Amino acid sequence: MYKVPRTDNPLICQEQIFSDALVNATILTLAPLLSFLAWKWVFGEFAESFLPGKKDVSSTFMPVEALHIIWPSVKDVQNSLEGWNSGRSIPCPLKNMKPFLHKYLRKWSPPPALHRQNAMPHIKSYARFNPSEEGAGELDWAIVTSSNLSKAAWGTFQKNKTQFMIRSYELGVMFLPPVLGREKDGTLPRLVTIGSRAADHFSVAVPGNPIVESLPLPYNFPLTTYDPKKDEPWVWDLVRESPDIFGNVYIPH
């Protein structure tokens, strides 16, 4: 078992115990709003908050397999239930789609069981998941929130780390196995995403299998990396002259 380092917030991770399988887990985020991002913040303060034991990682980029940003493509928006108009709820200007982010982008491809393939996202979610093939879909924890992937929403240190500044009021719900209940023998429940391999594995009635809590999060494992030759990430301030499913073009406000 792995013990997460103590934090300043005893209500979340202090003294919590997680499975050995998730010690090397990676960050997964679905945040349909990208504000101006500095890579030192993303791979420094932000990463340190989400990855147990990872400190002072801002001097270099995170490995491609350590951060996954699910992001709709232009084609996803064009062919969605609302056509181009759905892109107005995915507010990312071209200047914020930084080149360093491209290799971390993953395609919007919810599990078929959720029936959301053509519905564009707006709510934000973050999770730390099991990167192994056999454990795909098992989560260490998950957060569904209004918080964008930005300094304003998550906060940043100021004045030589003597002050922590959060500019936005946000609201979210965190799903954490240790607070979802325990079995009589003290075994923690497993947190899995609906439609994943982990969900299928734990759904089999086998003596000794733990309690399973399934979350309807739009993550489809294995995640699919953007193909730079075919996939163009959505940005909302470019004119789109190709018609959507309703025959409309897209003119930014």
Side-chain angles (χ1 to χ4, degrees):
M1 302 297 287
Y2 182 84
K3 191 172 184 179
V4 174
R6 294 177 65 89
T7 72
D8 292 330
N9 191 338
L11 299 179
I12 298 180
C13 287
Q14 184 173 331
E15 303 295 340
Q16 299 295 351
I17 304 296
F18 296 110
S19 167
D20 287 333
L22 296 174
V23 171
N24 296 317
T26 56
I27 301 173
L28 173 64
T29 173
L30 168 61
L33 189 156
L34 287 180
S35 299
F36 176 79
L37 290 175
W39 67 266
K40 287 187 177 181
W41 176 81
V42 175
F43 305 123
E45 295 175 24
F46 183 76
E48 288 176 8
S49 299
F50 277 21
L51 293 175
K54 302 290 186 182
K55 300 298 177 185
D56 300 321
V57 295
S58 61
S59 60
T60 184
F61 292 117
M62 291 174 67
V64 174
E65 65 273 12
L67 174 65
H68 306 269
I69 303 175
I70 295 178
W71 190 261
S73 68
V74 172
K75 285 294 184 183
D76 291 330
V77 174
Q78 183 179 13
N79 297 321
S80 68
L81 295 175
E82 298 177 90
W84 290 127
N85 276 333
S86 65
R88 302 189 192 280
S89 65
I90 309 174
C92 175
L94 180 62
K95 67 178 183 179
N96 289 350
M97 185 56 70
K98 300 296 183 182
F100 79 84
L101 288 173
H102 287 199
K103 61 184 176 183
Y104 300 101
L105 296 181
R106 307 293 178 259
K107 298 188 70 172
W108 169 253
S109 179
L114 297 184
H115 304 287
R116 289 192 58 85
Q117 291 93 327
N118 294 325
M120 292 296 96
H122 183 68
I123 190 70
K124 295 82 183 175
S125 58
Y126 301 81
R128 195 165 67 215
F129 71 96
N130 189 336
S132 68
E133 184 176 346
E134 63 276 9
E138 182 180 1
L139 307 179
D140 200 338
W141 48 257
I143 302 173
V144 179
T145 175
S146 62
S147 300
N148 305 315
L149 183 55
S150 67
K151 289 183 179 181
W154 288 99
T156 185
F157 283 112
Q158 297 178 340
K159 299 181 179 179
N160 198 28
K161 293 191 175 182
T162 61
Q163 175 175 295
F164 189 72
M165 175 64 174
I166 300 178
R167 297 183 181 276
S168 303
Y169 287 96
E170 307 290 352
L171 182 65
V173 177
M174 185 174 192
F175 299 89
L176 193 64
V179 299
L180 293 176
R182 298 172 183 263
E183 296 194 52
K184 293 181 180 180
D185 62 359
T187 302
L188 295 175
R190 295 297 183 93
L191 197 61
V192 301
T193 56
I194 291 176
S196 67
R197 180 172 297 181
D200 293 339
H201 171 74
F202 289 119
S203 66
V204 179
V206 177
N209 263 7
I211 296 174
V212 176
E213 300 290 347
S214 300
L215 295 182
L217 294 175
Y219 308 151
N220 198 9
F221 298 94
L223 301 171
T224 304
T225 301
Y226 263 58
D227 182 341
K229 296 181 179 180
K230 299 179 180 179
D231 304 314
E232 179 185 356
W234 170 256
V235 293
W236 76 335
D237 56 348
L238 294 182
V239 172
R240 307 291 177 179
E241 296 182 347
S242 299
D244 62 14
I245 61 171
F246 301 106
N248 298 323
V249 297
Y250 177 79
I251 307 296
H253 288 322

